[in-house]
Amino acid sequence: DAGVIQSPRHEVTEMGQEVTLRCKPISGHDYLFWYRQTMMRGLELLIYFNNNVPIDDSGMPEDRFSAKMPNASFSTLKIQPSEPRDSAVYFCASNHGGNTGELFFGEGSRLTVL
Amino acid sequence: GENVEQHPSTLSVQEGDSAVIKCTYSDSASNYFPWYKQELGKRPQLIIDIRSNVGEKKDQRIAVTLNKTAKHFSLHITETQPEDSAVYFCAASKAAGNKLTFGGGTRVLVKP
């Protein structure tokens, strides 16, 4: 397996624009997580899905953020409208449910909002 | 919810010396404690983990200890090498749902 695949790797956009980040989890993994990483706040869990169903979105900053998982092999994180404080690296990760717990991270999407 | 505190935030050691990073957690129901290493510009990757039925676990030069009574766990790196330079994150979770809460990270610099 190629691992968790994220796109785009880098995104530079202007304030107010819509941003869509994409993730393909490892085949067979039934959990998918979206994390945000900044220097100030570290690694923050935004939302996670189990079998394509959102389980906990308490980390989503505000209504400008939304996430979907229409099928087992694809998820999106959307920010509309984007703001400079959304600048961060967004990681998608996946794993199997159960006691293993190891998270397999994608390479991340570095977002810069000007 | 769970809160994980990690110390120190930065750690500089001489090559060959040991490095110790400590974490505390708040939720006594947590039972899975992994450590992730993140090299500059890369993704976090699991290096070792421990479950609540074990007090210590070793893998070559790294070891993790867990004290459930005190709700703290530590990462020990012996004979540090320059390639150990990275940011290390501790985390804690309960089995159900595998939601991980990360500590703030420790930036380790190994000086040759």
Side-chain angles (χ1 to χ4, degrees):
Chain A
D1 200 306
V4 176
I5 299 173
Q6 291 187 245
S7 66
R9 292 292 314 281
H10 302 275
E11 174 98 2
V12 180
T13 191
E14 293 189 344
M15 183 173 62
Q17 296 299 304
E18 178 179 293
V19 173
T20 299
L21 307 178
R22 298 173 177 81
C23 176
K24 181 180 187 303
I26 292 173
S27 178
H29 282 183
D30 51 356
Y31 283 84
L32 183 140
F33 304 78
W34 282 101
Y35 281 89
R36 178 172 68 176
Q37 185 175 37
T38 61
M39 288 293 291
M40 291 297 293
R41 301 174 69 91
L43 270 167
E44 301 175 276
L45 177 66
L46 300 178
I47 185 171
Y48 77 95
F49 297 82
N50 177 215
N51 292 322
N52 314 338
V53 177
I55 302 300
D56 186 341
D57 65 353
S58 59
M60 295 286 261
E62 48 199 273
D63 292 346
R64 298 184 297 106
F65 285 68
S66 63
K68 294 182 180 179
M69 192 166 185
N71 57 61
S73 59
F74 184 66
S75 177
T76 59
L77 178 68
K78 187 172 292 187
I79 309 172
Q80 166 64 16
S82 58
E83 297 182 3
R85 60 192 167 122
D86 301 331
S87 298
V89 179
Y90 291 82
F91 285 103
C92 176
S94 69
N95 74 357
H96 279 300
N99 285 334
T100 301
E102 178 177 1
L103 280 177
F104 294 86
F105 284 85
E107 293 185 302
S109 293
R110 181 176 294 277
L111 173 64
T112 302
V113 183
L114 303 174
Chain B
E2 175 68 279
N3 183 47
V4 178
E5 299 283 341
Q6 183 171 348
H7 300 280
S9 57
T10 60
L11 180 59
S12 182
V13 296
Q14 207 66 40
E15 182 178 356
D17 288 349
S18 295
V20 180
I21 303 169
K22 298 181 179 181
C23 290
T24 59
Y25 61 99
S26 60
D27 190 339
S28 57
S30 290
N31 60 3
Y32 175 64
F33 307 93
W35 288 86
Y36 284 79
K37 175 183 180 182
Q38 186 178 26
E39 297 177 359
L40 188 63
K42 301 288 182 65
R43 73 190 86 185
Q45 291 187 294
L46 180 73
I47 55 171
I48 194 168
D49 57 12
I50 191 167
R51 300 184 189 277
S52 59
N53 58 345
V54 175
E56 183 175 1
K57 185 177 179 181
K58 287 184 180 180
D59 183 3
Q60 300 181 6
R61 295 187 297 106
I62 60 174
V64 57
T65 59
L66 171 65
N67 183 329
K68 283 222 74 179
T69 303
K71 291 191 283 188
H72 66 71
F73 56 113
S74 301
L75 178 72
H76 303 251
I77 307 173
T78 59
E79 301 172 22
T80 54
Q81 300 169 5
E83 54 263 38
D84 295 329
S85 295
V87 178
Y88 292 81
F89 293 94
C90 63
S93 79
K94 308 172 194 179
N98 291 312
K99 177 179 176 179
L100 273 175
T101 300
F102 284 88
T106 298
R107 184 173 300 278
V108 175
L109 175 63
V110 180
K111 295 181 288 186

